[in-house]
Amino acid sequence: MVQVCLNGARTAADGAAVPLTPEAMAASAADAVAAGATDVHVHPKTPCGRDSLSPGVLERTLPVIRARVAVPVGVTTGAWAEPDPQARLERIRGWTVLPDHASVNWHEPGAEEIAALLIARGVGVEAGIWSGTDAARRFAASPLGPKVLRVLAEVTDPDPSAARALLSALGTAHGRPVLLHGEDGGAWPVLRLAGRLGLATRIGLEDTLRLPDGRPAASNAELVTAGLSQYARSTP
């Protein structure tokens, strides 16, 4: 499995390749799936380009993407989109168009309640376990652990050794599938490690704006193509 992460919290300042409107996200997702991505992660955005959990924003975004792709589509529930945990819960309760899955960062306040609500609503939970946080410890003790769709092992340190430390801290991860990925300077080394370990991974303009050789990426599809090549060459 290679997930494409279309845009993340990036803005227009990160370049024209980053899709910010529903139509641009849909076109980018379609091209990335044609290039081999099997799952989509997207940050729905307001017209001014801000990440949002608003029911109206999801209503304007998810159907447009789904009209172009036949793979699962997931969204973020990151605290930066709605800092107050109770407000975040209210936003999610108001969703009338549901994603296939949503990432929940386990180190953020209210993570357990948000994950429980998503599961109750039939939305798969990607448990975001960030390196450099206490998320692995919290997740290990969580009764929701066995119920999540998968674990996102998110390496925020560019040193690949941080990825191995995070995987060690995760242990059995409640028996759930693990998707390993890095960001910026660590994106490509961690993706290659995922290939060596046979783990799912992801790539896209959320995680890096550059190809393995350092050139700016023109699109998510270009990153997916490069990611599949790098992954295949790393597989034992």
Side-chain angles (χ1 to χ4, degrees):
M1 174 199 170
V2 174
Q3 182 183 78
V4 61
C5 47
L6 294 177
N7 51 11
R10 298 194 189 274
T11 68
D14 292 298
V18 179
L20 302 177
T21 67
E23 293 74 18
M25 295 175 204
S28 187
D31 289 345
V33 169
T38 56
D39 191 279
V40 173
H41 172 76
V42 65
H43 291 208
K45 295 181 183 288
T46 64
C48 64
R50 178 181 175 273
D51 284 9
S52 177
L53 308 182
S54 161
V57 171
L58 264 69
E59 287 168 12
R60 291 191 295 271
T61 303
L62 291 179
V64 179
I65 296 174
R66 283 176 167 151
R68 299 289 304 273
V69 301
V71 302
V73 180
V75 302
T76 182
T77 63
W80 59 87
E82 183 58 72
D84 178 27
Q86 289 305 311
R88 219 176 314 150
L89 286 167
E90 287 305 310
R91 292 285 200 187
I92 294 168
R93 287 192 185 100
W95 287 354
T96 56
V97 176
L98 296 176
D100 295 291
H101 50 75
S103 60
V104 178
N105 299 321
W106 229 259
H107 65 282
E108 294 178 347
E112 295 266 347
E113 294 81 3
I114 290 163
L117 174 59
L118 289 165
I119 291 169
R121 298 211 64 192
V123 178
V125 170
E126 295 181 308
I129 312 299
W130 290 24
S131 63
T133 73
D134 65 349
R137 178 186 61 78
R138 291 188 185 189
F139 184 70
S142 174
L144 296 177
K147 300 179 181 180
V148 306
L149 175 66
R150 60 178 156 258
V151 172
L152 298 183
E154 308 201 29
V155 185
T156 58
D157 189 312
D159 184 349
S161 66
R164 291 190 179 275
L166 178 57
L167 292 173
S168 177
L170 275 170
T172 62
H174 292 287
R176 306 313 301 143
V178 174
L179 185 159
L180 177 66
H181 76 98
E183 60 181 39
D184 294 322
W188 294 110
V190 174
L191 181 145
R192 289 189 287 269
L193 176 61
R196 290 194 295 274
L197 297 177
L199 296 175
T201 193
R202 80 177 200 184
I203 198 67
L205 291 165
E206 173 174 354
D207 287 344
T208 181
L209 298 173
R210 297 191 172 275
L211 296 166
D213 62 7
R215 288 181 296 119
S219 66
N220 279 301
E222 190 174 28
L223 287 170
V224 169
T225 298
L228 288 168
S229 175
Q230 294 270 312
Y231 190 97
R233 284 187 289 189
S234 302
T235 303

